Amino acid sequence: MKRLGGLWPRVTAFENLLAAYRKARRGKSSRPAVARFGLDLERNLFELQRQLLDHSYRPGGYRLFQIYDRKPRTIAAAPFRDRVVHHALMDPIEPLLDRRLIHDCYACRKGKGVHAAVRRFQGWAQRYPYALKIDVQAYFPSMDHALLKRKLRRMIKDPDLLWLFDLLIDSAPPSLEGPRPFPGDDLVDLMEQRGGLPIGNLTSQFFGNLFLNDLDHFVQQHLGITAYLRYVDDMVLLHRDKRRLWEARDAIDGFLQRERLRLHPRKVLLTRVGEGLDLLGYRVFPQHILLRRDNGYRFRRRLRGLARSYGRGDIDLKDVGTSVAAWLGHTRHAQSRRLCAKVLGSVCFVRGAVQDVDPARGSRRRLEQQTGEPPVCQPQQEHHR
């Protein structure tokens, strides 16, 4: 496999840094840090270019916060200046490294994504009777830095690129998981162990695909499981023989331990495809696709939060419409018309008040309306949805 080199001039070119700035600010131009960087854009980009060229660049500190997406996740937000560097690094390099990945790796790749992965699985489900779903326990917090750097060196020979990759990896905030012992470790190994990558970085998305690329090739080529797909650390294998799938699970577990990772013990599921499989927010059957029930519940909670913000005057209907359109774009890949009607019909938008319909009781809670604006959900009056 030929290693990549000679790309450093493309990464540090002013035109590439300018394009990286434009991508990094997309959808965030009103934020103070982004606005400050843009006020003296040319000087900031030339300074960033100088620091990259003479290796004096150092990443800033991360801002940590939690989100809840079916489970709590700690997100690490890099400073805007560093996000410009992430784009400048990955834009020229990622398309070249992407060719080393298997076809059925679907996360954060052009032409792939959630819906392509779901369609791929459904096509296989019409041919194979059994599916095995597994994932890695605490994938990003457990990713070993030394192993990741070794994998990068098998693909890249440019010392400047490797310097920047190493710098970004080493700047990751300490993992809350802490080092995990594996067979053969001693106390010194554990003390020197560095691991964990921030969820949310552009570089982390790429590292998430790269780190398990060896496993992908192992499953398809060594184990001979061709009906195999991966989305970050979620893996699905299909076969005609249940025993082959259990054997594959054991082989994958052994392979992961050599990568200092473990399968999640409570997230191993072998099922008949005809019973449906929960996959990336959908319940997928061979002939049809449904949304997961919790997807509707979560969006209804979000919709009620938007209704409260609209009632206070913090947002307008354009902001609501953007959120609704994004959710409907997700639902249109499933048989979800009734669910959409139930969720969208459960909340009314009234300036100065919020009206919630409780679908279980059919009742409507009315708050005092402080303006003469009609509620958005009244069909007999002219309104916007």
Side-chain angles (χ1 to χ4, degrees):
M1 182 185 296
K2 187 177 179 181
R3 294 190 298 160
L4 299 178
L7 291 173
W8 188 241
R10 289 176 57 186
V11 170
T12 57
F14 183 85
E15 294 78 7
N16 184 53
L17 291 170
L18 178 60
Y21 157 76
R22 289 170 176 161
K23 289 186 177 181
R25 75 168 181 177
R26 195 172 294 161
K28 304 178 178 69
S29 56
S30 61
R31 296 184 180 180
V34 180
R36 284 196 300 270
F37 193 95
L39 282 175
D40 199 358
L41 178 60
E42 188 172 342
R43 187 185 68 81
N44 286 329
L45 291 181
F46 274 122
E47 176 64 13
L48 204 51
Q49 182 186 50
R50 181 193 66 76
Q51 291 179 357
L52 290 171
L53 289 172
D54 65 15
H55 288 202
S56 64
Y57 165 75
R58 294 295 181 271
Y62 285 86
R63 179 174 61 88
L64 303 180
F65 59 95
Q66 275 207 335
I67 64 170
Y68 189 87
D69 181 17
R70 283 188 273 177
K71 63 179 181 180
R73 296 179 187 273
T74 300
I75 304 297
F80 178 73
R81 170 176 167 274
D82 294 340
R83 295 202 296 272
V84 173
V85 173
H86 298 167
H87 279 280
L89 174 62
M90 298 311 303
D91 286 354
I93 294 173
E94 188 170 14
L96 302 175
L97 295 179
D98 187 80
R99 300 172 188 171
R100 313 290 175 91
L101 305 178
I102 65 167
H103 174 80
D104 289 303
C105 175
Y106 284 92
C108 306
R109 298 176 68 191
K110 289 182 179 179
K112 305 290 184 179
V114 167
H115 304 125
V118 168
R119 289 193 299 270
R120 183 68 155 167
F121 169 79
Q122 189 179 45
W124 281 333
Q126 295 168 7
R127 297 166 49 197
Y128 298 97
Y130 298 106
L132 172 68
K133 182 184 176 185
I134 52 180
D135 73 13
V136 177
Q137 187 173 27
Y139 180 43
F140 281 101
S142 303
M143 204 177 296
D144 184 271
H145 288 185
L147 287 175
L148 177 57
K149 292 176 183 179
R150 201 176 305 159
K151 293 172 186 290
L152 285 167
R153 279 159 174 76
R154 282 167 33 201
M155 295 186 172
I156 298 170
K157 62 182 179 181
D158 189 315
D160 295 307
L161 289 178
L162 291 172
W163 162 78
L164 184 52
F165 272 121
D166 288 353
L167 190 64
L168 295 176
I169 292 169
D170 292 337
S171 72
S175 171
L176 298 178
E177 297 289 324
R180 296 183 175 190
F182 284 84
D185 284 353
D186 56 25
L187 186 59
V188 175
D189 292 328
L190 287 177
M191 290 178 63
E192 295 178 349
Q193 186 73 24
R194 285 293 312 277
L197 292 179
I199 298 174
N201 271 6
L202 179 67
T203 51
S204 296
Q205 296 171 6
F206 167 71
F207 292 148
N209 285 339
L210 172 67
F211 199 87
L212 290 180
N213 186 48
D214 292 334
L215 173 65
D216 296 339
H217 289 282
F218 172 77
V219 172
Q220 290 192 337
Q221 297 168 14
H222 181 77
L223 299 183
I225 307 292
T226 54
Y228 163 82
L229 66 84
R230 177 167 66 89
Y231 192 96
V232 192
D233 63 323
D234 289 337
M235 292 165 273
V236 180
L237 301 78
L238 295 94
H239 204 272
R240 300 187 183 281
D241 187 344
K242 284 194 297 186
R243 185 174 58 182
R244 284 287 305 278
L245 291 176
W246 285 125
E247 291 170 350
R249 189 277 312 268
D250 294 339
I252 290 171
D253 191 32
F255 190 100
L256 286 174
Q257 296 219 19
R258 295 192 293 273
E259 303 278 68
R260 304 191 65 84
L261 297 170
R262 288 190 174 94
L263 285 179
H264 199 299
R266 297 190 302 275
K267 295 185 178 179
V268 176
L269 174 67
L270 195 153
T271 185
R272 288 184 174 273
V273 297
E275 296 174 2
L277 183 74
D278 282 346
L279 181 63
L280 304 175
Y282 297 96
R283 183 82 176 167
V284 188
F285 297 82
Q287 303 300 334
H288 66 283
I289 301 172
L290 303 176
L291 273 184
R292 283 175 52 118
R293 291 178 64 87
D294 60 348
N295 185 288
Y297 296 147
R298 288 201 309 274
F299 186 72
R300 185 167 61 187
R301 285 196 298 270
R302 172 164 174 72
L303 202 60
R304 287 174 173 167
L306 290 171
R308 288 190 290 271
S309 297
Y310 179 78
R312 293 191 301 266
D314 297 337
I315 61 174
D316 58 26
L317 287 179
K318 181 180 178 182
D319 302 308
V320 177
T322 300
S323 185
V324 170
W327 185 67
L328 290 177
H330 182 70
T331 65
R332 69 183 178 87
H333 294 270
Q335 283 78 10
S336 58
R337 180 174 297 179
R338 290 175 61 189
L339 175 65
C340 290
K342 192 172 183 179
V343 170
L344 297 178
S346 67
V347 181
C348 294
F349 289 77
V350 184
R351 189 68 85 186
V354 180
Q355 294 183 350
D356 285 351
V357 175
D358 185 339
R361 298 191 300 267
S363 62
R364 177 173 294 172
R365 183 172 72 254
R366 294 184 179 273
L367 302 181
E368 182 182 357
Q369 191 173 331
Q370 299 173 1
T371 75
E373 180 179 330
V376 172
C377 63
Q378 287 185 352
Q380 69 271 24
Q381 301 183 32
E382 205 171 350
H383 61 270
H384 300 283
R385 280 193 183 271

